[in-house]
PDB file of all heavy atoms in Angstrom:
ATOM      1  N   LEU S  60     123.163  86.330 128.095  1.00 88.00           N
ATOM      2  CA  LEU S  60     122.477  87.565 128.364  1.00 88.00           C
ATOM      3  C   LEU S  60     121.745  87.499 129.680  1.00 88.00           C
ATOM      4  O   LEU S  60     121.773  88.457 130.465  1.00 88.00           O
ATOM      5  CB  LEU S  60     121.512  87.884 127.206  1.00 88.00           C
ATOM      6  CG  LEU S  60     120.683  89.177 127.351  1.00 88.00           C
ATOM      7  CD1 LEU S  60     121.627  90.381 127.323  1.00 88.00           C
ATOM      8  CD2 LEU S  60     119.677  89.231 126.261  1.00 88.00           C
ATOM      9  N   GLY S  61     121.094  86.416 129.961  1.00 85.00           N
ATOM     10  CA  GLY S  61     120.368  86.263 131.187  1.00 85.00           C
ATOM     11  C   GLY S  61     121.314  86.222 132.398  1.00 85.00           C
ATOM     12  O   GLY S  61     121.021  86.795 133.444  1.00 85.00           O
ATOM     13  N   LEU S  62     122.440  85.550 132.229  1.00 87.00           N
ATOM     14  CA  LEU S  62     123.371  85.468 133.329  1.00 87.00           C
ATOM     15  C   LEU S  62     124.062  86.815 133.596  1.00 87.00           C
ATOM     16  O   LEU S  62     124.287  87.184 134.779  1.00 87.00           O
ATOM     17  CB  LEU S  62     124.431  84.393 133.043  1.00 87.00           C
ATOM     18  CG  LEU S  62     123.857  82.987 132.874  1.00 87.00           C
ATOM     19  CD1 LEU S  62     124.953  82.006 132.495  1.00 87.00           C
ATOM     20  CD2 LEU S  62     123.129  82.519 134.115  1.00 87.00           C
ATOM     21  N   VAL S  63     124.378  87.553 132.572  1.00 90.00           N
ATOM     22  CA  VAL S  63     124.965  88.892 132.743  1.00 90.00           C
ATOM     23  C   VAL S  63     123.912  89.814 133.376  1.00 90.00           C
ATOM     24  O   VAL S  63     124.243  90.660 134.215  1.00 90.00           O
ATOM     25  CB  VAL S  63     125.441  89.420 131.403  1.00 90.00           C
ATOM     26  CG1 VAL S  63     125.826  90.893 131.481  1.00 90.00           C
ATOM     27  CG2 VAL S  63     126.666  88.615 130.938  1.00 90.00           C
ATOM     28  N   ALA S  64     122.641  89.699 132.968  1.00 86.00           N
ATOM     29  CA  ALA S  64     121.595  90.501 133.567  1.00 86.00           C
ATOM     30  C   ALA S  64     121.482  90.255 135.063  1.00 86.00           C
ATOM     31  O   ALA S  64     121.234  91.203 135.831  1.00 86.00           O
ATOM     32  CB  ALA S  64     120.259  90.221 132.894  1.00 86.00           C
ATOM     33  N   ALA S  65     121.678  89.014 135.504  1.00 83.00           N
ATOM     34  CA  ALA S  65     121.588  88.735 136.926  1.00 83.00           C
ATOM     35  C   ALA S  65     122.696  89.434 137.701  1.00 83.00           C
ATOM     36  O   ALA S  65     122.463  90.031 138.751  1.00 83.00           O
ATOM     37  CB  ALA S  65     121.693  87.222 137.117  1.00 83.00           C
ATOM     38  N   VAL S  66     123.914  89.420 137.188  1.00 86.00           N
ATOM     39  CA  VAL S  66     125.028  90.038 137.854  1.00 86.00           C
ATOM     40  C   VAL S  66     124.887  91.570 137.851  1.00 86.00           C
ATOM     41  O   VAL S  66     125.051  92.238 138.861  1.00 86.00           O
ATOM     42  CB  VAL S  66     126.344  89.629 137.197  1.00 86.00           C
ATOM     43  CG1 VAL S  66     127.526  90.396 137.761  1.00 86.00           C
ATOM     44  CG2 VAL S  66     126.575  88.141 137.386  1.00 86.00           C
ATOM     45  N   LEU S  67     124.500  92.149 136.717  1.00 90.00           N
ATOM     46  CA  LEU S  67     124.391  93.610 136.597  1.00 90.00           C
ATOM     47  C   LEU S  67     123.207  94.151 137.423  1.00 90.00           C
ATOM     48  O   LEU S  67     123.296  95.253 137.943  1.00 90.00           O
ATOM     49  CB  LEU S  67     124.262  94.001 135.163  1.00 90.00           C
ATOM     50  CG  LEU S  67     125.516  93.808 134.301  1.00 90.00           C
ATOM     51  CD1 LEU S  67     125.274  94.226 132.885  1.00 90.00           C
ATOM     52  CD2 LEU S  67     126.671  94.575 134.918  1.00 90.00           C
ATOM     53  N   THR S  68     122.161  93.360 137.552  1.00 85.00           N
ATOM     54  CA  THR S  68     121.034  93.820 138.341  1.00 85.00           C
ATOM     55  C   THR S  68     121.412  93.894 139.815  1.00 85.00           C
ATOM     56  O   THR S  68     121.061  94.902 140.517  1.00 85.00           O
ATOM     57  CB  THR S  68     119.833  92.887 138.143  1.00 85.00           C
ATOM     58  OG1 THR S  68     119.499  92.859 136.789  1.00 85.00           O
ATOM     59  CG2 THR S  68     118.654  93.339 138.940  1.00 85.00           C
ATOM     60  N   PHE S  69     122.119  92.934 140.265  1.00 84.00           N
ATOM     61  CA  PHE S  69     122.555  92.940 141.675  1.00 84.00           C
ATOM     62  C   PHE S  69     123.530  94.123 141.888  1.00 84.00           C
ATOM     63  O   PHE S  69     123.405  94.897 142.873  1.00 84.00           O
ATOM     64  CB  PHE S  69     123.259  91.634 142.070  1.00 84.00           C
ATOM     65  CG  PHE S  69     123.776  91.633 143.453  1.00 84.00           C
ATOM     66  CD1 PHE S  69     122.918  91.555 144.535  1.00 84.00           C
ATOM     67  CD2 PHE S  69     125.137  91.717 143.681  1.00 84.00           C
ATOM     68  CE1 PHE S  69     123.399  91.544 145.832  1.00 84.00           C
ATOM     69  CE2 PHE S  69     125.601  91.746 144.993  1.00 84.00           C
ATOM     70  CZ  PHE S  69     124.753  91.647 146.065  1.00 84.00           C
ATOM     71  N   ALA S  70     124.464  94.317 140.989  1.00 87.00           N
ATOM     72  CA  ALA S  70     125.394  95.418 141.122  1.00 87.00           C
ATOM     73  C   ALA S  70     124.668  96.745 141.047  1.00 87.00           C
ATOM     74  O   ALA S  70     124.979  97.684 141.813  1.00 87.00           O
ATOM     75  CB  ALA S  70     126.442  95.306 140.021  1.00 87.00           C
ATOM     76  N   GLY S  71     123.718  96.890 140.181  1.00 85.00           N
ATOM     77  CA  GLY S  71     122.936  98.143 140.058  1.00 85.00           C
ATOM     78  C   GLY S  71     122.154  98.445 141.308  1.00 85.00           C
ATOM     79  O   GLY S  71     122.073  99.613 141.739  1.00 85.00           O
ATOM     80  N   SER S  72     121.566  97.446 141.916  1.00 82.00           N
ATOM     81  CA  SER S  72     120.818  97.708 143.143  1.00 82.00           C
ATOM     82  C   SER S  72     121.717  98.068 144.298  1.00 82.00           C
ATOM     83  O   SER S  72     121.375  98.887 145.159  1.00 82.00           O
ATOM     84  CB  SER S  72     119.945  96.529 143.494  1.00 82.00           C
ATOM     85  OG  SER S  72     120.744  95.417 143.812  1.00 82.00           O
ATOM     86  N   MET S  73     122.946  97.517 144.331  1.00 85.00           N
ATOM     87  CA  MET S  73     123.899  97.888 145.373  1.00 85.00           C
ATOM     88  C   MET S  73     124.351  99.356 145.214  1.00 85.00           C
ATOM     89  O   MET S  73     124.518 100.099 146.146  1.00 85.00           O
ATOM     90  CB  MET S  73     125.084  96.993 145.381  1.00 85.00           C
ATOM     91  CG  MET S  73     124.800  95.553 145.812  1.00 85.00           C
ATOM     92  SD  MET S  73     124.213  95.505 147.512  1.00 85.00           S
ATOM     93  CE  MET S  73     122.494  95.056 147.262  1.00 85.00           C
ATOM     94  N   VAL S  74     124.473  99.797 143.950  1.00 86.00           N
ATOM     95  CA  VAL S  74     124.854 101.181 143.678  1.00 86.00           C
ATOM     96  C   VAL S  74     123.675 102.079 144.094  1.00 86.00           C
ATOM     97  O   VAL S  74     123.891 103.118 144.707  1.00 86.00           O
ATOM     98  CB  VAL S  74     125.182 101.395 142.193  1.00 86.00           C
ATOM     99  CG1 VAL S  74     125.284 102.863 141.825  1.00 86.00           C
ATOM    100  CG2 VAL S  74     126.503 100.673 141.860  1.00 86.00           C
ATOM    101  N   PHE S  75     122.454 101.669 143.831  1.00 79.00           N
ATOM    102  CA  PHE S  75     121.281 102.429 144.205  1.00 79.00           C
ATOM    103  C   PHE S  75     121.231 102.613 145.718  1.00 79.00           C
ATOM    104  O   PHE S  75     120.979 103.713 146.227  1.00 79.00           O
ATOM    105  CB  PHE S  75     120.008 101.719 143.726  1.00 79.00           C
ATOM    106  CG  PHE S  75     118.740 102.413 144.057  1.00 79.00           C
ATOM    107  CD1 PHE S  75     118.292 103.441 143.302  1.00 79.00           C
ATOM    108  CD2 PHE S  75     118.007 102.034 145.184  1.00 79.00           C
ATOM    109  CE1 PHE S  75     117.078 104.116 143.614  1.00 79.00           C
ATOM    110  CE2 PHE S  75     116.844 102.703 145.540  1.00 79.00           C
ATOM    111  CZ  PHE S  75     116.397 103.726 144.744  1.00 79.00           C
ATOM    112  N   VAL S  76     121.447 101.518 146.451  1.00 80.00           N
ATOM    113  CA  VAL S  76     121.430 101.580 147.885  1.00 80.00           C
ATOM    114  C   VAL S  76     122.533 102.485 148.446  1.00 80.00           C
ATOM    115  O   VAL S  76     122.345 103.258 149.377  1.00 80.00           O
ATOM    116  CB  VAL S  76     121.514 100.184 148.501  1.00 80.00           C
ATOM    117  CG1 VAL S  76     121.771 100.211 149.979  1.00 80.00           C
ATOM    118  CG2 VAL S  76     120.256  99.397 148.227  1.00 80.00           C
ATOM    119  N   ARG S  77     123.695 102.394 147.854  1.00 83.00           N
ATOM    120  CA  ARG S  77     124.841 103.195 148.292  1.00 83.00           C
ATOM    121  C   ARG S  77     124.591 104.695 148.134  1.00 83.00           C
ATOM    122  O   ARG S  77     124.845 105.463 149.022  1.00 83.00           O
ATOM    123  CB  ARG S  77     126.091 102.817 147.488  1.00 83.00           C
ATOM    124  CG  ARG S  77     127.284 103.654 147.727  1.00 83.00           C
ATOM    125  CD  ARG S  77     127.845 103.433 149.123  1.00 83.00           C
ATOM    126  NE  ARG S  77     129.079 104.175 149.285  1.00 83.00           N
ATOM    127  CZ  ARG S  77     129.202 105.280 149.978  1.00 83.00           C
ATOM    128  NH1 ARG S  77     128.167 105.823 150.589  1.00 83.00           N
ATOM    129  NH2 ARG S  77     130.360 105.905 150.106  1.00 83.00           N
ATOM    130  N   PHE S  78     124.048 105.108 146.984  1.00 80.00           N
ATOM    131  CA  PHE S  78     123.882 106.541 146.719  1.00 80.00           C
ATOM    132  C   PHE S  78     122.608 107.107 147.405  1.00 80.00           C
ATOM    133  O   PHE S  78     122.527 108.320 147.644  1.00 80.00           O
ATOM    134  CB  PHE S  78     123.863 106.817 145.256  1.00 80.00           C
ATOM    135  CG  PHE S  78     125.212 106.760 144.638  1.00 80.00           C
ATOM    136  CD1 PHE S  78     125.497 105.851 143.633  1.00 80.00           C
ATOM    137  CD2 PHE S  78     126.246 107.592 145.057  1.00 80.00           C
ATOM    138  CE1 PHE S  78     126.749 105.801 143.043  1.00 80.00           C
ATOM    139  CE2 PHE S  78     127.507 107.513 144.508  1.00 80.00           C
ATOM    140  CZ  PHE S  78     127.764 106.593 143.515  1.00 80.00           C
ATOM    141  N   PHE S  79     121.630 106.290 147.666  1.00 76.00           N
ATOM    142  CA  PHE S  79     120.388 106.770 148.247  1.00 76.00           C
ATOM    143  C   PHE S  79     120.136 106.216 149.651  1.00 76.00           C
ATOM    144  O   PHE S  79     119.008 106.195 150.103  1.00 76.00           O
ATOM    145  CB  PHE S  79     119.209 106.433 147.354  1.00 76.00           C
ATOM    146  CG  PHE S  79     119.251 107.124 146.012  1.00 76.00           C
ATOM    147  CD1 PHE S  79     119.587 106.473 144.859  1.00 76.00           C
ATOM    148  CD2 PHE S  79     119.018 108.479 145.938  1.00 76.00           C
ATOM    149  CE1 PHE S  79     119.654 107.100 143.675  1.00 76.00           C
ATOM    150  CE2 PHE S  79     119.071 109.162 144.744  1.00 76.00           C
ATOM    151  CZ  PHE S  79     119.392 108.436 143.580  1.00 76.00           C
ATOM    152  N   GLU S  80     121.199 105.768 150.370  1.00 75.00           N
ATOM    153  CA  GLU S  80     121.012 105.178 151.677  1.00 75.00           C
ATOM    154  C   GLU S  80     120.434 106.171 152.678  1.00 75.00           C
ATOM    155  O   GLU S  80     119.682 105.794 153.554  1.00 75.00           O
ATOM    156  CB  GLU S  80     122.299 104.608 152.172  1.00 75.00           C
ATOM    157  CG  GLU S  80     123.385 105.575 152.445  1.00 75.00           C
ATOM    158  CD  GLU S  80     124.669 104.895 152.862  1.00 75.00           C
ATOM    159  OE1 GLU S  80     124.615 103.735 153.334  1.00 75.00           O
ATOM    160  OE2 GLU S  80     125.750 105.492 152.674  1.00 75.00           O
TER     161      GLU S  80
END
Side-chain angles (χ1 to χ4, degrees):
L60 179 65
L62 299 176
V63 169
V66 173
L67 291 179
T68 301
F69 178 73
S72 64
M73 291 298 110
V74 169
F75 180 84
V76 169
R77 172 69 174 105
F78 285 119
F79 295 107
E80 65 185 337

